[in-house]
Amino acid sequence: IVNTISDATIDSTGQKLGGIVGEMKEESMIINSIVKGRITGSKAYVGGIAGAMDNSTIEKSENQAIILGDLTKVGGIAGSMINESTIVDCISSSAINGKKDTIGGISGYVDNSYIIGSKSCESINGGSYVGGIAGKLLNSSEIKNSVSEAAVASKGNSIGGIVGEIK
């Protein structure tokens, strides 16, 4: 998906909810895209651009949508990233509110994946494992050349300006 704009109000009771796509797999890509509006999910995997990424890439894209997630794995660009997924040169510039755990300005859950040259701003709120860039960073995942200017707030444990928890 290239050069796309989504300006919608999305509200779902299902899992894997994103402003452009619910789930990315098998080397799929989103490039130069923007999401505006409001995204509300009552289950896990809620992201500004993609709900869940598996061996996929989001590049040079921006989330401007307000994100509200009732459960875990909520992020400004992607709810979760696994299996060498990559977010490169992306910006999340609006409020992210997660009621539970694993909430991040770029991605809530990052497992064996990479966030490079990306930025989060505005506010990020959640339970435990809340970070300006990622809520949880696992299994050799990396964050490189990225910035968080977000106000991070939590009612739980493991909160960080960049990452809530690294394992």
Side-chain angles (χ1 to χ4, degrees):
I1 297 173
V2 180
N3 299 327
T4 303
I5 296 173
S6 172
D7 188 0
T9 298
I10 301 170
D11 191 347
S12 177
T13 58
Q15 288 195 105
K16 298 179 181 170
L17 172 66
I20 292 178
V21 63
E23 183 174 18
M24 299 175 68
K25 290 184 171 187
E26 301 170 9
E27 299 182 7
S28 56
M29 298 183 79
I30 295 174
I31 301 170
N32 284 339
S33 296
I34 298 171
V35 174
K36 301 177 182 184
R38 183 181 182 103
I39 302 166
T40 304
S42 60
K43 299 245 171 118
Y45 306 98
V46 179
I49 293 175
M53 297 174 66
D54 183 346
N55 190 27
S56 303
T57 300
I58 299 174
E59 185 176 320
K60 297 180 183 172
S61 297
E62 182 174 357
N63 171 54
Q64 300 171 1
I66 294 169
I67 300 173
L68 306 168
D70 287 349
L71 292 179
T72 66
K73 299 181 176 89
V74 178
I77 302 295
S80 79
M81 305 169 63
I82 62 170
N83 297 329
E84 298 187 1
S85 290
T86 305
I87 292 175
V88 181
D89 297 331
C90 290
I91 298 171
S92 178
S93 60
S94 71
I96 301 164
N97 294 295
K99 291 183 181 176
K100 297 283 183 178
D101 304 334
T102 318
I103 316 297
I106 299 296
S107 182
Y109 183 84
V110 184
D111 188 349
N112 190 32
S113 295
Y114 312 96
I115 297 171
I116 302 165
S118 296
K119 180 178 179 178
S120 73
C121 13
E122 201 49 53
S123 64
I124 302 162
N125 296 291
S128 294
Y129 312 110
V130 180
I133 300 289
K136 285 189 177 183
L137 193 69
L138 309 168
N139 298 320
S140 301
S141 294
E142 295 181 9
I143 295 173
K144 293 181 182 177
N145 303 321
S146 296
V147 175
S148 173
E149 296 175 350
V152 181
S154 169
K155 296 177 183 128
N157 301 312
S158 301
I159 295 82
I162 299 294
V163 179
E165 178 185 68
I166 299 175
K167 278 188 177 181

